[in-house]
Amino acid sequence: MSEPSPWAIEAEGLGKKYRRGWALRDCSFRLPAGHICALVGPNGAGKSTFLSTATRLVQPTTGTLKLFGVPVSDPAVLQRVAFLAQDKPLYPRFTVAETLRLGRELNPRWDQALAERIVRSGNVPFTARIGTLSGGQRTRIAFALAFGKRPELLLLDEPMSDLDPLARHELSGLLMAEAAEHGTTVLMSSHMLSEMEVMCDYLLVLAEGRLRMAGQTEELVPAHLLVTGVASGDDGVPEELRRQHTVVESKVTGRQFTALVRPGGPLSDSWETLSPSMEEVLLAYLRSPDAPTLIADEARIDGGQQEAAA
């Protein structure tokens, strides 16, 4: 029997083309098992396309995708994955209890106690029909189905957008507890960057259908500095800074410039430096889709034509 793969997801040259153009292109990375990973990007960046490819809802145009070392085209891989789509499709005429029974009948590793606990914590009646529930209540039921399956890989597409802050806090805690206790890998698309900073220890950033950043947050975020100083040069950013360091984003206010950089060596004593937050780094990359790609060694596919993290 072969050893289990240490990689929850391996994408190599993955791409999807529609009539309007490429939604995803040349996407190559590896996600180690056991992480909670933020999938970040502006609308239209390719996040939902990638998640749909990972769940076989969309056939890729180019490249390959493996989950736990198994090609995503293999039906056996579906037992190991749960997907919570952005629209959270449920049968509106089913009661909550019938919906959980459906999950139990279809999934051999079903955890009824966990699913019921998620429902009860939101005070959702088991006799209520899905169609009568609020958006937040339906999201809770969808979470109960996803967690009840006891997946090895949990794929979430904007899962908490319609939850109130209390419910988001509760389900975020559940996500982190599941990952810690059962080794569940979570890949979650979201625009809530401040919450992702608390929950996630891995990053995938997409822009215009291409991968811009990938790796552990503790490696990627400290690779950047916020630099401020006296503006100079044509655009206010000193030529010395551009020549010796990688500038991700810059702006000038009055006589002062501020830049998010990946240092290529010592910085001038005439500049002030601060360590950025994950949110500041992500926003800079989202605002600057042409910024140089940063892929950590751990996340790189061998032979990929991507820039490794310094």
Side-chain angles (χ1 to χ4, degrees):
M1 185 175 178
S2 61
E3 289 291 322
S5 173
W7 312 107
I9 299 175
E10 295 172 90
E12 186 166 5
L14 194 67
K16 177 61 182 177
K17 188 177 184 180
Y18 296 100
R19 285 187 177 182
R20 66 182 183 274
W22 290 92
L24 195 67
R25 192 163 192 174
D26 299 329
C27 188
S28 298
F29 72 91
R30 299 188 299 189
L31 172 62
H35 285 283
I36 299 180
C37 179
L39 180 60
V40 181
N43 292 333
K47 304 186 302 296
S48 293
T49 298
F50 175 79
L51 291 172
S52 295
T53 302
T55 51
R56 306 203 320 168
L57 297 173
V58 166
Q59 281 285 111
T61 306
T62 62
T64 60
L65 181 64
K66 294 180 180 180
L67 305 181
F68 301 104
V70 180
V72 73
S73 57
D74 189 332
V77 82
L78 295 179
Q79 291 293 338
R80 308 173 72 174
V81 179
F83 177 47
L84 184 53
Q86 192 169 359
D87 56 356
K88 305 171 185 71
L90 298 168
Y91 292 103
R93 295 184 64 82
F94 277 25
T95 65
V96 173
E98 290 168 341
T99 300
L100 297 190
R101 181 185 174 188
L102 178 67
R104 185 171 69 247
E105 296 290 340
L106 293 177
N107 298 289
R109 298 172 58 186
W110 180 257
D111 188 332
Q112 182 72 13
L114 174 60
E116 289 184 358
R117 188 164 70 247
I118 294 172
V119 173
R120 286 197 180 96
S121 64
N123 296 316
V124 183
F126 285 87
T127 56
R129 295 195 182 277
I130 298 297
T132 66
L133 301 179
S134 68
Q137 288 175 321
R138 287 195 297 273
T139 294
R140 182 176 289 276
I141 303 307
F143 261 97
L145 285 176
F147 278 107
K149 186 177 180 178
R150 281 281 182 222
E152 295 174 56
L153 174 62
L154 183 56
L155 302 171
L156 306 172
D157 192 1
E158 293 290 343
M160 305 186 196
S161 57
D162 55 0
L163 293 177
D164 62 68
L166 188 61
R168 285 205 306 271
H169 179 76
E170 175 203 341
L171 293 176
S172 296
L174 181 64
L175 269 176
M176 292 186 285
E178 283 295 300
E181 183 177 352
H182 299 283
T184 308
T185 305
V186 181
L187 177 59
M188 177 168 56
S189 165
S190 177
H191 293 299
M192 300 176 183
L193 300 184
S194 58
E195 292 185 2
M196 301 287 262
E197 184 165 10
V198 175
M199 296 172 57
C200 300
D201 59 3
Y202 215 90
L203 286 174
L204 292 173
V205 179
L206 291 172
E208 299 179 351
R210 293 180 182 270
L211 188 67
R212 308 304 304 153
M213 192 186 328
Q216 295 194 45
T217 56
E218 63 182 18
E219 179 177 357
L220 297 182
V221 175
H224 299 81
L225 284 174
L226 282 170
V227 181
T228 59
V230 178
S232 64
D234 295 338
D235 61 356
V237 178
E239 180 60 30
E240 178 187 353
L241 185 67
R242 290 199 182 278
R243 186 173 60 250
Q244 299 181 11
H245 312 282
T246 301
V247 178
V248 177
E249 181 190 45
S250 63
K251 63 180 180 179
V252 176
T253 305
R255 299 180 58 190
Q256 180 173 283
F257 79 88
T258 302
L260 181 80
V261 305
R262 301 207 306 258
L267 290 155
S268 170
D269 292 337
S270 62
W271 302 327
E272 294 183 9
T273 61
L274 289 172
S275 297
S277 66
M278 188 179 94
E279 183 174 2
E280 287 172 323
V281 171
L282 289 176
L283 285 172
Y285 275 85
L286 295 181
R287 289 190 294 252
S288 308
D290 294 328
T293 300
L294 179 61
I295 310 296
D297 287 341
E298 181 185 39
R300 299 179 75 220
I301 293 287
D302 291 341
Q305 298 178 349
Q306 300 164 321
E307 181 181 338

